[in-house]
Amino acid sequence: LVRKGLLASPVNVSYNTVAGTAQTGSDFLSASGVLEFPVGIARQTLVLQVVDDPEIENVEVFSVRLSNVQGDAVLPVPALNISIDRSDGGAGVFGFTAASRNAALAEGTDQEVNLTVTRLSLTQANTYGTANLTWSLAAIGTSAPVIDLQPSSGSLDFVDGQVTGIITLIVINDDVPEVDEFFALTLDSVSVPGQLPSAFATSVISVIANDDPFGSVMLANTTSPFWSVDGSTRSFNFQVIRVASTNGELLLRYRIVYQDGNGVNQTTHTGDTASVVLSGVSVTNVTAVVPTDVVFEPNTVVTLE
């Protein structure tokens, strides 16, 4: 506070703070008292305390009022308005847009998924200033490292006035048989004074496995649902086909069931159950051997399962 004019006599003046849009206690500390200007003193300092809170607020105002002058002085300007800048959340409130909080795509040729991060508005757009966000990617339901989406972590910079930013992930096209996978991309931190509400900080990404983990296995089409079994060779041939995928190695187990002419299963025979490995091919020829202890009788039915 400055006193102008003659300084030949002492002057006292009372002061007190008055709330406006800024509130006492939550935005600033109340203050009141008396400032003394001894003879010859033209300037005194009044210290006021602003509360540093985490609330996201716009510019707020309170005032200091002077009154009750004692001495040879007048108050041409009895009040001073003080603005508290919107430093809390001043860089904005960040989060994924609604459309980017879930994404689904399939493997194939390497392809990208773009996730949009925006500066969210509360009472008005806080899009001024620079900000830096860090993010990381993790598989949901497993602690295994992320290998199907890259990169697995990074950062995103916002310049002054920028409203949206893009995080780009690449889906790696591999030939590893996998089931559908789910990942969470989380915004981990934002530079001060930006805000990062948890409700907007995660995007769930589904990678649909077009590398079918198993494929469909079935018997090849035949002209007849029956095979003729040569009693001397005691074997018959059939084909197994894989549809949709030949990736990976499968162990296919099958068994042979024999029924007599009355439809009653014969007793278990050695070699009834066997297996074949299917690896990298769409058609596999299999020779099923009829055990030597099978007694062929009229109308014996041999069933492959």
Side-chain angles (χ1 to χ4, degrees), residues 11-298:
V11 170
N12 295 336
V13 61
S14 298
Y15 68 88
N16 68 285
T17 55
V18 179
T21 53
Q23 300 300 308
T24 303
S26 60
D27 296 311
F28 68 96
L29 299 184
S30 176
S32 62
V34 176
L35 282 177
E36 298 181 354
F37 288 82
V39 173
I41 299 299
R43 184 184 301 269
Q44 292 285 29
T45 300
L46 175 61
V47 178
L48 301 176
Q49 181 67 51
V50 175
V51 176
D52 184 14
D53 61 32
E55 297 299 321
I56 302 169
E57 300 166 308
N58 291 311
V59 175
E60 297 177 308
V61 177
F62 71 101
S63 62
V64 179
R65 294 183 180 177
L66 304 177
S67 61
N68 194 26
V69 176
Q70 297 180 358
D72 187 12
V74 295
L75 291 173
V77 183
L80 172 67
N81 290 327
I82 300 174
S83 298
I84 302 175
D85 198 6
R86 50 179 178 179
S87 58
D88 294 322
V93 183
F94 293 85
F96 289 107
T97 61
S100 291
R101 290 172 203 159
N102 289 279
L105 65 163
E107 290 185 17
T109 56
D110 292 346
Q111 54 183 299
E112 297 179 348
V113 55
N114 294 314
L115 304 174
T116 302
V117 179
T118 185
R119 300 201 204 202
L120 304 176
S121 298
L122 293 183
T123 56
Q124 64 183 58
N126 294 326
T127 58
Y128 64 91
T130 61
N132 173 265
L133 293 89
T134 61
W135 57 268
S136 60
L137 189 66
I140 297 176
T142 176
S143 59
V146 176
I147 59 175
D148 294 306
L149 283 175
Q150 294 296 327
S152 59
S153 62
S155 62
L156 183 63
D157 291 319
F158 279 72
V159 300
D160 188 20
Q162 182 180 348
V163 178
T164 61
I166 301 295
I167 296 175
T168 299
L169 301 176
I170 297 177
V171 184
I172 304 302
N173 181 30
D174 58 35
D175 60 359
V176 178
E178 298 164 307
V179 296
D180 295 351
E181 298 173 297
F182 302 90
F183 303 90
L185 192 154
T186 303
L187 302 176
D188 297 315
S189 65
V190 62
S191 56
V192 176
Q195 299 293 316
L196 193 60
S198 59
F200 308 133
T202 300
S203 175
V204 176
I205 306 161
S206 306
V207 177
I208 309 302
N210 73 330
D211 297 320
D212 194 307
F214 308 110
S216 299
V217 180
M218 63 187 71
L219 290 173
N221 293 330
T222 61
T223 57
S224 170
F226 303 102
W227 288 275
S228 295
V229 179
D230 187 330
S232 60
T233 59
R234 306 183 69 84
S235 65
F236 61 94
N237 298 320
F238 63 93
Q239 285 186 332
V240 174
I241 61 175
R242 294 178 68 182
V243 178
S245 172
T246 60
N247 292 313
E249 185 175 272
L250 300 181
L251 180 65
L252 175 67
R253 297 186 183 276
Y254 63 91
R255 67 172 183 162
I256 305 171
V257 179
Y258 312 92
Q259 292 180 336
D260 60 23
N262 297 318
V264 178
N265 287 357
Q266 295 186 26
T267 56
T268 302
H269 303 278
T270 59
D272 283 349
T273 302
S275 61
V276 60
V277 174
L278 308 177
S279 177
V281 294
S282 57
V283 179
T284 301
N285 295 310
V286 182
T287 298
V289 178
V290 178
T292 56
D293 54 349
V294 172
V295 178
F296 283 104
E297 300 174 346

